[in-house]
Amino acid sequence: MSASSTDPRLDGRAVRRIAYDEATIQKRVAELGRDITAAYPDGELLVLGLLKGSFIFLSDLVRHIERPLQVDFLVASSYGDAMESSGVVRLLYDPETELEGKHILLVEDIVDSGRTLARLLDLLSARQPKSLAICALLHKHIAEHLTSPVQFVGFDAPHEFLVGYGLDHAEHFRHLPYVASLE
Ligand code: IMP
Ligand code: MG
């Protein structure tokens, strides 16, 4: 499916540039699935999706991980009532699945400042998982707040505001099968 300005999903908005088309994303997600399968030869694996942005990426990714696993989600709020990120992350939905003793793979749509992830890693590591790793579809490589490495990265993202494949602008455009920047 093309993404011209006539794409009815765009509601009249125009795409400036398609950063990653559907075939490119699918190929890379399959590779990530293979890398993750190889990286966890044993132990229990819990794939933990950070909502809402990871929902499409995670659902494609887990179908390429060929070993036993569990899926759960978490919802974090980093802003509270403030206009700017306070650095305080609260869990609005806490995974029901036990984390202790498991390999946890935290799945995120995009790493920007890294602030949310840095706080989440602190929170989750307190639950004594066997290991804790991050898989992000996109990484802007400007994450000064994130000291831990992102072990699995789909693409090194351009410094543009991107939408699609889970990423939103005011809750719109999450359902695009490609990742694009808008005019
Ligand atoms: P961070 O805590 O600054 O790394 O914020 C990461 C979150 O901001 C992501 O999970 C996204 O929800 C959102 N975000 C960052 N960059 C973009 C973008 O280019 N498009 C859409 N959402 C973004
Ligand atoms: Mg968002």
Side-chain angles (χ1 to χ4, degrees), residues 15 41 56 65 68 71 104 134 136 170:
V15 156
I56 292 180
I65 303 177
V71 173
I104 309 294
I134 304 166

mmCIF file of all heavy atoms in Angstrom, residues 15 41 56 65 68 71 104 134 136 170:
data_model
loop_
_atom_site.group_PDB
_atom_site.id
_atom_site.type_symbol
_atom_site.label_atom_id
_atom_site.label_comp_id
_atom_site.label_asym_id
_atom_site.label_seq_id
_atom_site.Cartn_x
_atom_site.Cartn_y
_atom_site.Cartn_z
ATOM 1 N N VAL A 15 2.308 13.097 4.048
ATOM 2 C CA VAL A 15 3.559 12.517 4.506
ATOM 3 C C VAL A 15 4.710 13.321 3.908
ATOM 4 O O VAL A 15 4.718 13.622 2.725
ATOM 5 C CB VAL A 15 3.637 11.041 4.055
ATOM 6 C CG1 VAL A 15 5.071 10.564 3.968
ATOM 7 C CG2 VAL A 15 2.856 10.157 5.001
ATOM 8 N N PRO A 41 19.010 -18.732 25.203
ATOM 9 C CA PRO A 41 18.978 -20.188 25.004
ATOM 10 C C PRO A 41 18.231 -20.927 26.112
ATOM 11 O O PRO A 41 17.754 -22.036 25.903
ATOM 12 C CB PRO A 41 20.462 -20.580 24.972
ATOM 13 C CG PRO A 41 21.172 -19.472 25.685
ATOM 14 C CD PRO A 41 20.372 -18.239 25.456
ATOM 15 N N ILE A 56 1.973 -2.666 18.250
ATOM 16 C CA ILE A 56 2.068 -3.300 16.927
ATOM 17 C C ILE A 56 3.425 -3.998 16.776
ATOM 18 O O ILE A 56 3.500 -5.147 16.355
ATOM 19 C CB ILE A 56 1.839 -2.272 15.807
ATOM 20 C CG1 ILE A 56 0.380 -1.798 15.853
ATOM 21 C CG2 ILE A 56 2.197 -2.856 14.446
ATOM 22 C CD1 ILE A 56 0.020 -0.772 14.789
ATOM 23 N N ILE A 65 9.879 -14.912 17.557
ATOM 24 C CA ILE A 65 10.729 -15.441 18.623
ATOM 25 C C ILE A 65 10.340 -16.906 18.819
ATOM 26 O O ILE A 65 9.241 -17.210 19.275
ATOM 27 C CB ILE A 65 10.567 -14.632 19.935
ATOM 28 C CG1 ILE A 65 10.885 -13.151 19.691
ATOM 29 C CG2 ILE A 65 11.488 -15.199 21.024
ATOM 30 C CD1 ILE A 65 10.677 -12.257 20.920
ATOM 31 N N PRO A 68 9.808 -20.661 24.074
ATOM 32 C CA PRO A 68 8.690 -20.354 24.980
ATOM 33 C C PRO A 68 8.831 -18.945 25.545
ATOM 34 O O PRO A 68 9.952 -18.479 25.801
ATOM 35 C CB PRO A 68 8.831 -21.393 26.106
ATOM 36 C CG PRO A 68 9.706 -22.471 25.546
ATOM 37 C CD PRO A 68 10.614 -21.804 24.560
ATOM 38 N N VAL A 71 3.886 -12.995 27.585
ATOM 39 C CA VAL A 71 3.709 -11.592 27.196
ATOM 40 C C VAL A 71 2.913 -10.876 28.278
ATOM 41 O O VAL A 71 1.927 -11.393 28.780
ATOM 42 C CB VAL A 71 2.942 -11.473 25.853
ATOM 43 C CG1 VAL A 71 2.608 -10.015 25.546
ATOM 44 C CG2 VAL A 71 3.752 -12.066 24.702
ATOM 45 N N ILE A 104 13.688 -10.619 31.477
ATOM 46 C CA ILE A 104 12.692 -9.626 31.076
ATOM 47 C C ILE A 104 13.206 -8.883 29.844
ATOM 48 O O ILE A 104 14.312 -8.342 29.851
ATOM 49 C CB ILE A 104 12.445 -8.576 32.190
ATOM 50 C CG1 ILE A 104 12.152 -9.231 33.540
ATOM 51 C CG2 ILE A 104 11.322 -7.614 31.789
ATOM 52 C CD1 ILE A 104 10.875 -10.000 33.613
ATOM 53 N N ILE A 134 16.500 -4.352 26.865
ATOM 54 C CA ILE A 134 15.571 -3.477 26.140
ATOM 55 C C ILE A 134 15.613 -3.810 24.660
ATOM 56 O O ILE A 134 16.688 -4.008 24.090
ATOM 57 C CB ILE A 134 15.967 -1.993 26.315
ATOM 58 C CG1 ILE A 134 16.032 -1.602 27.784
ATOM 59 C CG2 ILE A 134 14.990 -1.079 25.555
ATOM 60 C CD1 ILE A 134 16.726 -0.270 28.023
ATOM 61 N N ALA A 136 14.081 -1.889 21.299
ATOM 62 C CA ALA A 136 13.353 -0.724 20.778
ATOM 63 C C ALA A 136 13.331 -0.787 19.259
ATOM 64 O O ALA A 136 14.349 -1.083 18.631
ATOM 65 C CB ALA A 136 14.024 0.569 21.240
ATOM 66 N N ALA A 170 -0.784 12.771 18.953
ATOM 67 C CA ALA A 170 -2.060 12.978 19.641
ATOM 68 C C ALA A 170 -3.025 11.810 19.410
ATOM 69 O O ALA A 170 -4.195 12.011 19.093
ATOM 70 C CB ALA A 170 -2.694 14.299 19.218
#
